[in-house]
Amino acid sequence: MHYSISQVATMAGVSARTLRHYDEIGLLTPAAVSSNGYRWYGRSELRRLQRILLLRDLDVPLPQIDAVLAGDDDEASALRRHLTIVTAERDRLDRIAATITRTLDDLEGGDRLPDEEFFRGLDEGRSQLAATLEERFGNAAAGTVQTGTTHTARWTRDDYDQAAADGRELYARLSRARRSGVDPTSVRALDLIAEHHEAVRAVWPVDPAAYHALADLIETDPQQRDVVGAEDPDLPLWLATAVRAYAVRRLDHG
């Protein structure tokens, strides 16, 4: 049985545009294309799409997915490898979740998190950020995380706590501006974003291009979006727009 591109898109929870893109780059070729240009997919294409989406869920870049699938010798062994990857990722996220839980207990007056555990959690967070930057912007962008780590090498736990408190206070002011209807590209908003830019530079030496790119992470990266939108789910989009405007108007990006 063959399915149309719209049927496959509905079943897989992706857009038809995504499926057309996969076809254009040779990642997922339809079983047949009719004379009117309609794409049709069979069961083997659905299985391949499943593997593609599994790897995308693990944030594997599309070129690497193509290489992984090209090396698959049979479907069962490929799925076993995917299961190993998924299980390892689950375990990694469980470790990060446990660290966050212990940190919350510490902040809310429960058992104090040992300092070595506190900094281990920070290291895991940095590693995740570096991986995200490398995938989206290349090795040079990921290297800036290490430079930022050097900048904060002498920080104590109190320094990190103060930076976190300052960040929450800044996000609260940004949220109040957003809720009051301040245009994210206005002078008033950009004056506030100047504080955000300085706070970012204190821990991560971003240049204008990197700061502009940060807006994409604020909008789309779950970790960054959760931090920014912890108290105001609509703040990430507003802040991303303001960051882009600041990079262009105040930092002469582009």
Side-chain angles (χ1 to χ4, degrees), residues 1-12 16 19 28-34 36-47 49:
M1 181 175 181
H2 283 175
Y3 301 90
S4 69
I5 191 170
S6 60
Q7 289 174 315
V8 174
T10 300
M11 285 189 290
L19 295 176
L28 180 65
T29 302
V33 178
S34 60
N36 57 9
Y38 287 180
R39 294 169 170 85
W40 297 92
Y41 299 83
R43 188 168 181 82
S44 63
E45 287 74 34
L46 296 182
R47 288 197 296 264
L49 177 59

Side-chain angles (χ1 to χ4, degrees), residues 41 196 238:
Y41 299 83
H196 179 267
W238 187 94

Side-chain angles (χ1 to χ4, degrees), residues 50-232:
Q50 180 197 47
R51 282 180 279 170
I52 292 170
L53 297 180
L54 282 171
L55 291 168
R56 287 301 293 143
D57 283 343
L58 295 174
D59 294 328
V60 178
L62 292 180
Q64 292 184 24
I65 290 178
D66 192 29
V68 169
L69 296 183
D72 286 346
D73 47 2
D74 65 79
E75 191 171 316
S77 64
L79 287 175
R80 278 193 291 269
R81 285 195 298 273
H82 295 333
L83 178 60
T84 299
I85 294 171
V86 170
T87 301
E89 178 69 3
R90 179 202 62 195
D91 293 343
R92 185 185 72 84
L93 292 175
D94 283 346
R95 288 193 299 271
I96 293 176
T99 298
I100 293 172
T101 299
R102 292 195 298 272
T103 303
L104 286 172
D105 288 341
D106 178 46
L107 292 173
E108 294 171 354
D111 297 332
R112 182 169 177 80
L113 184 69
D115 285 346
E116 61 272 16
E117 291 291 327
F118 173 79
F119 286 103
R120 184 182 304 155
L122 290 176
D123 288 340
E124 290 173 343
R126 289 190 190 106
S127 297
Q128 183 176 355
L129 175 58
T132 300
L133 289 172
E134 182 174 4
E135 176 187 343
R136 298 192 182 204
F137 309 117
N139 292 331
T144 61
V145 175
Q146 181 58 46
T147 304
T149 300
T150 302
H151 280 205
T152 58
R154 297 180 181 274
W155 279 25
T156 66
R157 179 168 178 166
D158 288 341
D159 292 326
Y160 281 105
D161 287 344
Q162 184 60 53
D166 292 343
R168 288 192 295 272
E169 192 275 333
L170 176 58
Y171 286 142
R173 284 191 286 126
L174 293 170
S175 179
R176 287 195 294 272
R178 185 200 67 76
R179 293 176 191 276
S180 66
V182 174
D183 186 326
T185 64
S186 67
V187 172
R188 180 181 172 188
L190 297 188
D191 287 344
L192 281 173
I193 297 303
E195 297 183 50
H196 179 267
H197 178 247
E198 288 305 311
V200 170
R201 283 184 56 82
V203 296
W204 179 20
V206 290
D207 59 16
Y211 190 63
H212 187 274
L214 177 62
D216 180 60
L217 289 183
I218 292 171
E219 272 188 321
T220 62
D221 180 67
Q223 182 185 24
Q224 299 302 313
R225 192 170 61 240
D226 289 348
V227 169
V228 174
E231 301 298 331
D232 180 359

